[in-house]
């Protein structure tokens, strides 16, 4: 099933969110406007707003209130991408030049700060302090996750547990927060808030593992950037962690990286081959599937309705996507 | 009068704030703890917490509530210093190595994000949504101010109005917010909130102008860094803007910067001489004094009490300080 088909029932609400997103970043300073709009135009799946809206369907769904949360969550995601680009020296994001590449690092950092602050401002409009607490906590944890990722770069002694903790903070938490805040904004019951949050967490884990698999298996066309980008930056993800646990693969991989003869891309290509032949891709896929299954189990605790079906379809899509 | 004497009446409350600041940054991840603590230990005048506390004296002063705001405001100031350092390539701050220099740029950026989020989390504990709105707006405007500063670097065609708008966002707004939120947290009247906010704004303008003067007149010992740092980075502040409006000084200054023979520090030293002989320092001092006078006028609208006297003394100190 295509994402577009799943989104169909939300089509009008999502167009509204899209125009609100544009208005939000357009409201202020020209330089910021250019920078934010550039990012906005680069698109994205708007997964977080969709999770906000669908979670809101379990309570008293009011688009005017839901909008604040949906836009805020997408803004936080955008801000984290902007700051990621400053950090990763990434020249490409979603196939377009990054803000950093187009303007410069310093503007990118403050654009990120600005977008974070706009997001918080929006959620404050709910007049529900717990929503602000949840949101600021998500930003906190994301920052820690990013610092952990930096610390763990090219650290060949890390284990799978480090990886899971990192992607929880880096990705899963914001999707969990999207579901939770959607439920909070709509006044869903505490139990529903909890199940939706857990659902979002499991989907988020699966989402990031899929992302990390695609970085090994994807083409430039699918990813908007060459495969092996994570390795190139020293980000050690599940597929290679699995490979490193097989026989002497750990030393083989470390040897490749310590060789002086090869270019970085050649090193990365060699490691990709090892990971593929070791079964690291299939292993990671199994783990991703297991998280998806846990996500489905959470959905089973929620009342049966079309929003629940849509959440399930999106979760399935996420586990099988190619980009 | 020394700052220490003025602070005397707040001594116990400020020690409490200091230990809360430490606890706040100590609570999370070890890397963050190191980075934040490093910054905390570098000290600072804690001007913003002092303004929060003194403003709270005009309402129902409850230290447990005031603390959240006082710590939050200092954290936001700290976060902006951290991000400033990423941007400015500054190796020194308050005489100590910056976080960026000690760790690296990427960790510094996420440390800033983390500290921002902690600040928001704290203010949320007031359960007063307007406080969150005021705070996120301050972060918004600060980000725009920073982007404006980048945009205006080495832009010799800017005028005094650009400068004032920039320092309003960069500095004055956060001090205004400190006073305003202190009053909000203590439930002072709307009129008192307004006067305190305006007072903070005028003091903040005077504070930044004084800072910009000191960058021309201060010694390494006083500043913790060499004079002329602003010029070196292309930050065109009031003293040189005044000089550029005299006779042919604008072209003289631009010529100095376009010469290829000199080192950057030699260029800066030449411009400092021109600024001093043009009367740019005295002019800036007069403007700073005028803002201080406006700040005093706002205080006159507030009930007479010892907190009012302290605010006046701090404002006076700020206008005459040497570091």
């Amino acid at each position: 099933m295509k994402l577009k088909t799943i989104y169909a029932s939300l089509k009008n609400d999502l167009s509204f969110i899209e125009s609100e997103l544009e208005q939000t970043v357009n409201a202020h300073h020209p330089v910021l406007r250019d920078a934010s709009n550039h990012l906005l135009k680069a698109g994205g799946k708007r997964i977080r707003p969709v999770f906000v809206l669908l979670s809101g369907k379990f309570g008293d769904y009011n688009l005017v209130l839901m909008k604040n949360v949906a836009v805020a969550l997408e803004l936080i995601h955008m801000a984290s991408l902007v700051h990621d680009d400053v950090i990763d020296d990434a020249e490409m994001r979603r196939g377009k030049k990054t803000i950093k590449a187009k303007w410069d690092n310093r503007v990118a950092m403050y654009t990120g700060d600005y977008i974070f602050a706009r997001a918080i401002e929006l959620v404050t409009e709910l007049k529900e302090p717990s929503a602000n607490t949840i949101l600021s906590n998500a930003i906190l944890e994301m920052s820690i996750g990013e610092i952990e990722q930096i610390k763990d770069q090219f650290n060949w002694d890390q284990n799978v547990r480090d990886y899971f903790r990192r992607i929880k903070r880096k990705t899963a938490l914001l999707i969990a927060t999207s579901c939770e805040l959607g439920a909070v904004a709509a006044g869903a019951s505490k139990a529903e808030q909890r199940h939706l949050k857990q659902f979002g967490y499991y989907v988020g884990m699966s989402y990031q593992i899929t992302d990390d698999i695609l970085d090994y298996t994807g083409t430039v066309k699918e990813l908007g950037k060459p495969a092996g980008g994570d390795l190139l930056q020293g980000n050690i993800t599940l597929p290679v962690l699995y490979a490193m646990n097989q026989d002497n693969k750990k030393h083989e991989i470390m040897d490749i990286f310590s060789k002086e003869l090869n270019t970085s891309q050649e090193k990365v290509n060699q490691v990709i081959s090892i990971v593929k032949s070791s079964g690291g891709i299939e292993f990671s896929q199994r783990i991703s599937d297991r998280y998806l299954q846990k996500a489905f189990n959470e959905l089973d605790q929620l009342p049966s309705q079309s929003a629940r079906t849509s959440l399930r379809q999106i979760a399935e899509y996420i586990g099988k996507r190619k980009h």
Side-chain angles (χ1 to χ4, degrees), chain A residues 43-299:
Chain A
K45 302 184 196 71
R46 307 285 183 252
I47 285 277
R48 291 152 199 85
V50 167
F51 280 133
V52 170
L53 297 181
L54 289 174
S55 298
K57 300 282 187 183
F58 291 88
D60 186 11
Y61 186 94
N62 172 344
L63 185 57
V64 177
L65 283 179
M66 299 310 297
K67 167 215 82 175
N68 289 323
V69 179
V71 172
L73 265 297
E74 187 66 8
L75 288 177
I76 287 184
H77 173 59
M78 281 168 63
S80 79
L81 290 184
V82 175
H83 279 186
D84 237 21
D85 288 338
V86 174
I87 282 204
D88 286 348
D89 252 317
E91 289 291 309
M92 297 289 276
R93 166 80 65 186
R94 291 170 177 168
K96 293 221 177 192
K97 282 201 130 191
T98 59
I99 288 187
K100 174 192 158 303
K102 200 155 179 263
W103 282 275
D104 83 351
N105 242 327
R106 305 174 301 162
V107 170
M109 186 173 67
Y110 287 120
T111 302
D113 290 359
Y114 165 87
I115 299 175
F116 271 131
R118 287 292 279 156
I120 290 151
E121 202 177 46
L122 273 172
V123 162
T124 305
E125 285 177 28
L126 287 186
K127 314 267 182 221
E128 172 56 57
S130 72
N132 278 76
T133 307
I134 293 167
L135 199 70
S136 47
N137 190 257
I139 301 175
L140 267 184
E141 293 287 334
M142 281 168 69
S143 309
I144 298 176
E146 295 285 356
I147 290 176
E148 279 178 340
Q149 176 163 318
I150 295 164
K151 198 192 65 187
D152 287 343
Q153 267 167 352
F154 294 111
N155 168 15
W156 304 106
D157 290 327
Q158 65 185 287
N159 57 37
V160 174
R161 204 188 300 153
D162 296 317
Y163 167 78
F164 286 130
R165 198 177 47 215
R166 211 162 56 225
I167 68 168
K168 175 185 173 176
R169 285 178 160 144
K170 207 177 100 92
T171 305
L173 198 73
L174 197 60
I175 296 184
T177 301
S178 303
C179 295
E180 186 182 14
L181 281 185
V184 167
S189 73
K190 288 278 175 207
E192 285 163 337
Q193 289 176 23
R194 207 174 50 244
H195 290 306
L196 284 161
K197 179 187 175 179
Q198 274 306 108
F199 163 78
Y201 163 67
Y202 291 133
V203 169
M205 294 298 280
S206 173
Y207 184 88
Q208 186 60 51
I209 294 169
T210 306
D211 226 46
D212 295 341
I213 293 172
L214 288 172
D215 196 61
Y216 282 84
T217 61
T219 62
V220 174
K221 202 182 159 198
E222 284 165 350
L223 304 174
K225 58 185 177 183
D230 286 338
L231 270 179
L232 209 59
Q233 288 167 29
N235 291 335
I236 299 168
T237 58
L238 194 55
V240 71
L241 280 170
Y242 176 83
M244 282 163 65
N245 279 334
Q246 313 309 307
D247 308 325
N248 294 317
K249 290 290 186 289
K250 182 174 173 180
H251 286 108
E252 208 177 309
I253 289 170
M254 286 172 69
D255 281 351
I256 291 171
F257 271 93
S258 64
K259 270 186 213 160
E260 298 227 345
L261 283 171
N262 301 352
T263 67
S264 299
Q265 192 58 52
E266 282 168 348
K267 292 178 188 179
V268 163
N269 291 343
Q270 286 183 34
V271 177
I272 290 179
S273 297
I274 295 174
V275 168
K276 284 182 175 172
S277 64
S278 77
I281 304 300
E282 292 76 8
F283 172 78
S284 304
Q285 191 58 58
R286 279 197 302 278
I287 302 288
S288 170
D289 290 344
R290 205 179 296 167
Y291 275 115
L292 267 193
Q293 192 51 56
K294 288 184 177 192
F296 296 154
N297 293 347
E298 293 295 331
L299 287 184

Side-chain angles (χ1 to χ4, degrees), chain A residues 1-59:
Chain A
M1 192 174 251
K2 283 188 178 168
L3 208 54
K4 215 173 145 186
T5 320
I6 309 170
Y7 282 12
S9 70
L10 293 169
K11 200 169 170 235
N12 289 341
D13 290 6
L14 280 172
S15 319
F16 177 61
I17 301 293
E18 200 67 25
S19 72
E20 287 288 315
L21 259 172
E22 255 179 71
Q23 267 193 37
T24 304
V25 296
N26 269 341
H28 280 75
H29 197 271
V31 180
L32 270 168
R33 188 159 59 223
D34 287 355
S36 316
N37 256 322
H38 173 71
L39 188 72
L40 197 65
K41 292 279 154 52
K45 302 184 196 71
R46 307 285 183 252
I47 285 277
R48 291 152 199 85
V50 167
F51 280 133
V52 170
L53 297 181
L54 289 174
S55 298
K57 300 282 187 183
F58 291 88

